[in-house]
Amino acid sequence: YRGLFELSMNGMVITEPGTFTIREVNEAFSQLVGQDKDGLVDTPFLGLVDEPNRKRLQVGLAVIADRGQGTMSDIQLVQANGHKIYVDMSINFIHIDDAHFVQITCRDVTVQRELQLQLERIAQTDSLTGLLNKNMFQPRIENAVSRAVKAGEPLTLLLLDLDNFKNCNDTYG
């Protein structure tokens, strides 16, 4: 088992169940977060998680603790240099005799997640202006109209017509 832990290409961490204090890490995890293995031991695992993701991870860990195992996606870890990476986690709460620990396996999905975010931006915005496109405008205007009707308040939509913009649009797309 020691060999599987140490040689795994995925980052692996062993923590305490209640505090999630790191007890052991493999080389892949050390490289993933850009910190020395010995420097990670006795530090809180949650301290490596980006602040906005920390609460979501804490809630997820509580739910997973009840089941004993589970997964979480798109958790951002902060590397030693401050750069943030996305990881998918597999979490196991292990109870063997009197020993209780949590094994967290992290797989780096930063490239896939950033590509997905880029594709979402492309699908939602006009490439020339960077403004939201019709696909994003339509549901937002419908939502605004619905809110105005429910609140009994007026709604104003302002449209601008730019003279000779056709020339710009024909030239630059």
Side-chain angles (χ1 to χ4, degrees), residues 60-131:
L61 287 169
V63 170
I64 292 170
D66 290 340
R67 294 189 208 141
Q69 62 182 1
T71 60
M72 292 195 69
S73 298
D74 288 336
I75 300 293
Q76 277 191 299
L77 297 180
V78 180
Q79 295 177 315
N81 62 8
H83 185 259
K84 296 175 184 176
I85 59 170
Y86 288 94
V87 296
D88 286 349
M89 294 181 179
S90 174
I91 303 159
N92 294 293
F93 284 76
I94 301 171
H95 306 284
I96 301 173
D97 298 325
D98 290 335
H100 305 283
F101 55 94
V102 182
Q103 176 201 11
I104 303 172
T105 303
C106 300
R107 186 170 60 90
D108 187 355
V109 293
T110 304
V111 172
Q112 296 92 322
R113 182 64 175 133
E114 288 176 350
L115 179 60
Q116 180 185 2
L117 290 170
Q118 183 180 6
L119 290 173
E120 286 173 8
R121 276 191 299 278
I122 290 169
Q124 297 172 356
T125 58
D126 176 76
S127 61
L128 179 62
T129 64
L131 299 172

Side-chain angles (χ1 to χ4, degrees), residues 126-129 165 167-173:
D126 176 76
S127 61
L128 179 62
T129 64
F165 190 72
N167 295 336
C168 178
N169 205 23
D170 290 346
T171 303
Y172 299 107

Side-chain angles (χ1 to χ4, degrees), residues 13-24 42-45 61 93-94 98-104:
V13 180
I14 303 294
T15 73
E16 297 290 328
T19 62
F20 299 101
T21 301
I22 297 173
R23 293 291 163 231
E24 225 177 313
D42 293 328
T43 64
F45 180 77
L61 287 169
F93 284 76
I94 301 171
D98 290 335
H100 305 283
F101 55 94
V102 182
Q103 176 201 11
I104 303 172

Side-chain angles (χ1 to χ4, degrees), residues 156-170:
T156 302
L157 176 63
L158 178 65
L159 298 174
L160 298 175
D161 182 23
L162 301 176
D163 291 339
N164 300 316
F165 190 72
K166 182 178 181 342
N167 295 336
C168 178
N169 205 23
D170 290 346

Side-chain angles (χ1 to χ4, degrees), residues 123-149:
Q124 297 172 356
T125 58
D126 176 76
S127 61
L128 179 62
T129 64
L131 299 172
L132 293 179
N133 62 21
K134 182 182 176 191
N135 293 332
M136 293 303 295
F137 175 77
Q138 192 66 37
R140 288 184 183 207
I141 193 69
E142 288 171 3
N143 190 3
V145 169
S146 176
R147 282 193 325 260
V149 168

